Amino acid sequence: MATDRRSARRARLIGRAFIYGALIALAAFYLMPLWVMIVTSLKSLDEIYSGSFIGMPQAVTFEAWGKAWSTACIGTKCEGLQPYFVNSLMMVIPAVILSSGIGAINGYVLTKWRFRGSNIVFGMLLFGCFLPFQAVLLPMAQVLGRLGLAGSIPGLVLVHTVYGIAFTTLFFRNYFITIPDELTKAAQIDGAGFFRIFFSIMLPAALPIIVVSCIWQFTQIWNDFLFGVSFTAGESSPVTVALNNIVNVTMGRKQYNVDMASAMIAAIPTLVVYVVAGRYFVRGLTAGAVKG
Amino acid sequence: MATLEIDRVKKSYGQMDVLKEVSISVGDGDFLVLLGPSGCGKSTLLNMIAGLEDITAGEIRIAGEVVNDLSPKDRDIAMVFQSYALYPTMTVRQNIEFGMKIRGVPAAERAKATQAAADMLQMGHLLDRRPSQLSGGQRQRVAMGRAVVREPKLFLFDEPLSNLDAKLRVDMRTEIKRLHQRLGTTIVYVTHDQIEAMTLATRIAVMKDGIVQHFGPPQEVYDRPANTYVARFVGSPAMNIIPATLHVGADGRAEAAVSLPSGEARIAGIALSAAALKGYHGQKVLLGIRPEHFSLTAGAGLAVQIDVVEPTGPDTLAVFTMGGTEVIARLEPFAAAAGDRLALAVKEDKVVIFDAATETRLD
Ligand SMILES: Nc1ncnc2c1ncn2[C@@H]1O[C@H](COP(=O)(O)OP(=O)(O)OP(=O)(O)O)[C@@H](O)[C@H]1O
Ligand SMILES: [Mg+2]
């Protein structure tokens, strides 16, 4: 009996060890690129060209980060990523607010103020989720040109808002449909109108899905390259396009450390958003009905 | 406080007629219960009174004023919903004050009204909680409090007790009755529970398929149901509906012949108008007899053989065959046992008679 139990325990321990070993190995493999990026960005250029890619830096230096941020040359200007980072912020903040806001109102109307044909409208909006963005590049360029927004940050805000609405509407509709209609009826009897109900009752109850929508939109818009490269040029580019230019256009020795630092700078905002609000993101995605 | 008149009101969704010419009118301070099975259009009618659904045809008047085109907030009504519909992100206090805030009631008055409602419904200790932190019965109280502070002309309740367990349902039923007695406000109350209807109502409208089958005071609905549908829907166990043949008795009053396993028996002395009696002499009809209107008799009576007995505590339900159908009598405890042959008397003045084809009551 006793030996039986002991051998069973040993078998379980071996199983555990195997599982954790495999998990750690896979995680290490997955994190390898990030590791390379971090250590490379902290090395001097000489060290990179003389030593290995993977090893720890002999002397840690933040020189590459400083250079990437404020002095690296993009095109003819040597101001680093800084102005483009600001461009991206100017694009992403209004676009996230506008697309999430419009999506919230759409979801509200499509669930609580249904009208004849509202299901068709919703179906067509859904279609927008599956539309490949390449398909709209040319018509969009024409529209932006006519509106006088070509090559500008407001133009990008418009594009991202329009193409975000499909997703945000889907998020909010699916959330609001779980909120009982009786809630809006009760509010109507209390004398609340369309916007009063929206702001006082629906939005406060929608906090989890607001977080989901904002994170989703932030990541999509911040990381977008296609629209950025198609509709802007030079000084009005977002950071993703500038990053591409830094990496691709270099004179002399390829500055791997600056490239890596730039890539990390460009990725930091989405990372921060996930770290700060990721908990709510998961909770919002799995949240079902609002318990009344 | 107000009268309510529902005048030939219809409701259609596209091709489908959900309500077909409903007319109901109740006086100031009445407690109207809309009673009917699921899907008969009770909630639809209530929502139309509230202004949450359009009226396809007809008129609804509250205190004499046509409200067809008034929005819900202008009808001076308050409503309690089946799911309570408390605003989930607001505290109980905010829930109760929301409507007053919108109407621009000053803060001091709001606080006073909230406190009064909280005292009346014994929920002062709940005011700072959120709905998710309340039990079902407490949510129900809050929903009622939210309605009460409005001091409306008309209260509307849509199955307010159906989400509660049996014990709490009885308690809250009493609470609602007390509320009505204290405030005296006209109430429209939707339910599919006939006991709730009987205990609360001053007027019941029994509905089926968008048609009012019977509209009247509870005792009338119970004693003289307009048709066999109402007879079977109200009362538990339901009224017995027994095929019989109608005759003019020796005393000139109606007499019904029913078949029993032992042969034919007669129930004499049934109240029926001369005109109806004349028209139906010798015809097949349906008798309606409530279970409690049977009793044991020492003399001559209906000779029946008991099939099954179901003791309920206060009395015993005895099942036997009469007129070819199963009939239930409510007798004293231990008055009968399965297999017994008994003689039963009938309170003949309580017997009602329905047309065999249309199943409507004869006067
Ligand atoms: N928006 C709508 N469109 C089409 N039909 C509807 C709509 N709302 C209700 N109905 C139909 O109207 C009928 C009556 O519905 P209603 O909700 O009034 O029933 P009810 O008597 O309240 O039933 P329950 O006891 O289940 O609440 C039902 O057959 C329902 O399917
Ligand atoms: Mg209903």
Side-chain angles (χ1 to χ4, degrees):
Chain A
M1 279 279 276
T3 52
D4 265 10
R5 208 177 299 155
R6 209 174 304 148
S7 72
R9 199 162 75 202
R10 198 163 58 206
R12 205 166 60 219
L13 269 178
I14 292 172
R16 270 289 143 90
F18 182 76
I19 289 171
Y20 279 104
L23 285 176
I24 289 167
L26 287 172
F29 184 69
Y30 190 81
L31 287 174
M32 189 58 84
L34 182 65
W35 172 254
V36 171
M37 281 177 79
I38 292 171
V39 295
T40 307
S41 74
L42 298 175
K43 288 174 185 171
S44 69
L45 205 55
D46 289 336
E47 192 189 330
I48 293 169
Y49 277 91
S50 64
S52 87
F53 239 60
I54 297 178
M56 287 287 285
Q58 283 149 5
V60 172
T61 166
F62 289 95
E63 201 182 310
W65 284 75
K67 205 168 169 195
W69 180 247
S70 53
T71 61
C73 294
I74 296 160
T76 55
K77 299 188 103 180
C78 293
E79 296 178 326
L81 279 180
Q82 191 183 355
Y84 305 96
F85 193 90
V86 173
N87 280 350
S88 271
L89 283 179
M90 306 263 287
M91 164 186 77
V92 79
I93 292 170
V96 165
I97 293 173
L98 283 174
S99 59
S100 294
I102 296 173
I105 294 207
N106 281 350
Y108 169 54
V109 171
L110 288 172
T111 52
K112 303 297 171 219
W113 298 89
R114 278 185 223 171
F115 49 92
R116 199 177 281 271
S118 58
N119 277 335
I120 295 170
V121 171
F122 179 57
M124 276 159 43
L125 270 168
L126 266 190
F127 187 65
C129 294
F130 301 109
L131 207 62
F133 284 175
Q134 286 82 348
V136 300
L137 283 182
L138 281 179
M140 199 48 159
Q142 278 188 318
V143 170
L144 288 178
R146 298 248 171 98
L147 293 176
L149 292 173
S152 73
I153 294 290
L156 273 190
V157 170
L158 177 69
V159 175
H160 284 302
T161 302
V162 168
Y163 286 97
I165 285 174
F167 289 94
T168 56
T169 301
L170 178 67
F171 289 147
F172 280 98
R173 191 207 89 110
N174 287 355
Y175 192 81
F176 285 149
I177 207 147
T178 66
I179 294 183
D181 290 350
E182 289 191 345
L183 223 52
T184 27
K185 290 186 182 173
Q188 271 177 276
I189 289 179
D190 267 340
F194 181 89
F195 284 107
R196 186 81 182 226
I197 296 175
F198 180 66
F199 285 111
S200 295
I201 291 159
M202 302 303 275
L203 270 195
L207 200 61
I209 207 68
I210 293 174
V211 173
V212 168
S213 174
C214 286
I215 293 185
W216 175 268
Q217 282 301 96
F218 187 93
T219 334
Q220 292 295 308
I221 298 171
W222 185 274
N223 289 341
D224 164 72
F225 179 72
L226 183 64
F227 285 152
V229 80
S230 309
F231 299 136
T232 59
E235 279 171 38
S236 57
S237 303
V239 74
T240 45
V241 175
L243 172 65
N244 179 60
N245 293 347
I246 286 191
V247 174
N248 282 345
V249 191
T250 29
M251 288 150 281
R253 278 204 299 184
K254 192 143 181 58
Q255 307 200 355
Y256 286 111
N257 54 354
V258 177
D259 291 355
M260 296 300 179
S262 306
M264 302 224 338
I265 289 172
I268 278 173
T270 45
L271 266 176
V272 168
V273 164
Y274 269 108
V275 169
V276 171
R279 225 155 28 100
Y280 299 98
F281 186 70
V282 175
R283 209 182 292 166
L285 282 183
T286 53
V290 186
K291 279 273 196 72
Chain B
M1 290 206 231
T3 58
L4 169 69
E5 289 151 281
I6 299 165
D7 191 1
R8 282 164 292 158
V9 160
K10 287 189 201 171
K11 178 71 186 179
S12 322
Y13 290 110
Q15 295 294 315
M16 193 173 62
D17 293 334
V18 176
L19 293 176
K20 299 153 198 157
E21 283 233 340
V22 170
S23 291
I24 294 170
S25 102
V26 295
D28 192 4
D30 259 329
F31 196 128
L32 168 66
V33 171
L34 303 176
L35 175 66
S38 190
C40 71
K42 310 180 294 287
S43 297
T44 305
L45 183 55
L46 198 71
N47 285 336
M48 286 160 81
I49 298 171
L52 298 167
E53 295 270 5
D54 292 333
I55 298 166
T56 309
E59 246 178 31
I60 294 181
R61 292 184 289 272
I62 299 175
E65 184 191 5
V66 179
V67 295
N68 284 34
D69 297 320
L70 287 185
S71 68
K73 69 176 194 314
D74 298 325
R75 294 190 182 196
D76 204 358
I77 49 154
M79 190 156 169
V80 176
F81 294 88
Q82 180 172 0
S83 66
Y84 318 132
L86 301 178
Y87 311 127
T89 56
M90 299 184 196
T91 63
V92 168
R93 187 189 305 280
Q94 289 166 332
N95 261 282
I96 293 176
E97 292 195 357
F98 185 66
M100 289 190 281
K101 234 181 217 168
I102 291 175
R103 290 194 301 280
V105 177
E109 245 174 82
R110 289 204 303 260
K112 219 172 101 192
T114 304
Q115 198 54 50
D119 289 345
M120 180 158 83
L121 294 163
Q122 292 143 42
M123 54 175 198
H125 58 297
L126 304 176
L127 284 178
D128 294 312
R129 295 207 205 159
R130 282 179 201 285
S132 57
Q133 299 163 326
L134 301 178
S135 72
Q138 291 170 333
R139 287 179 201 183
Q140 183 57 57
R141 265 168 218 279
V142 175
M144 274 162 56
R146 190 169 65 179
V148 165
V149 293
R150 168 106 202 216
E151 296 183 358
K153 282 197 205 128
L154 197 60
F155 279 117
L156 307 175
F157 289 89
D158 192 354
E159 307 209 22
L161 304 185
S162 58
N163 284 346
L164 302 178
D165 63 48
K167 166 89 175 70
L168 201 52
R169 202 176 303 166
V170 175
D171 292 348
M172 290 307 290
R173 200 170 74 196
T174 314
E175 195 88 359
I176 291 175
K177 185 127 196 180
R178 191 172 293 140
L179 187 81
H180 180 240
Q181 280 168 5
R182 182 167 332 174
L183 301 176
T185 310
T186 314
I187 293 182
V188 183
Y189 185 106
V190 163
T191 183
H192 57 251
D193 180 344
Q194 52 97 15
I195 297 179
E196 256 171 50
M198 289 298 296
T199 49
L200 291 172
T202 61
R203 289 281 183 285
I204 295 182
V206 183
M207 296 176 63
K208 181 192 162 203
D209 299 336
I211 297 172
V212 175
Q213 306 286 322
H214 191 155
F215 171 58
Q219 201 62 47
E220 177 196 298
V221 171
Y222 188 78
D223 286 340
R224 303 184 61 71
N227 55 41
T228 57
Y229 179 79
V230 177
R232 288 190 171 107
F233 198 82
V234 177
S236 173
M239 186 181 251
N240 297 296
I241 307 293
I242 307 160
T245 314
L246 200 66
H247 297 286
V248 181
D251 57 356
R253 296 167 72 184
E255 186 176 291
V258 286
S259 70
L260 285 170
S262 56
E264 198 186 69
R266 296 238 166 183
I267 301 170
I270 299 168
L272 197 65
S273 71
L277 183 53
K278 204 168 152 216
Y280 282 86
H281 175 64
Q283 303 261 333
K284 292 220 172 306
V285 293
L286 296 170
L287 297 186
I289 308 177
R290 292 273 173 207
E292 62 271 25
H293 294 147
F294 288 103
S295 58
L296 284 184
T297 175
L302 305 166
V304 301
Q305 178 165 15
I306 306 301
D307 251 347
V308 181
V309 289
E310 297 171 351
T312 64
D315 37 40
T316 289
L317 302 179
V319 183
F320 55 91
T321 305
M322 184 169 153
T325 68
E326 210 166 72
V327 173
I328 298 180
R330 191 192 293 273
L331 304 174
E332 304 264 290
F334 305 113
D340 281 1
R341 286 168 192 281
L342 302 173
L344 294 182
V346 176
K347 271 197 187 140
E348 54 286 298
D349 57 326
K350 294 286 192 182
V351 173
V352 289
I353 296 186
F354 303 99
D355 182 293
T358 64
E359 307 208 348
T360 54
R361 199 189 71 245
L362 308 178
D363 272 316

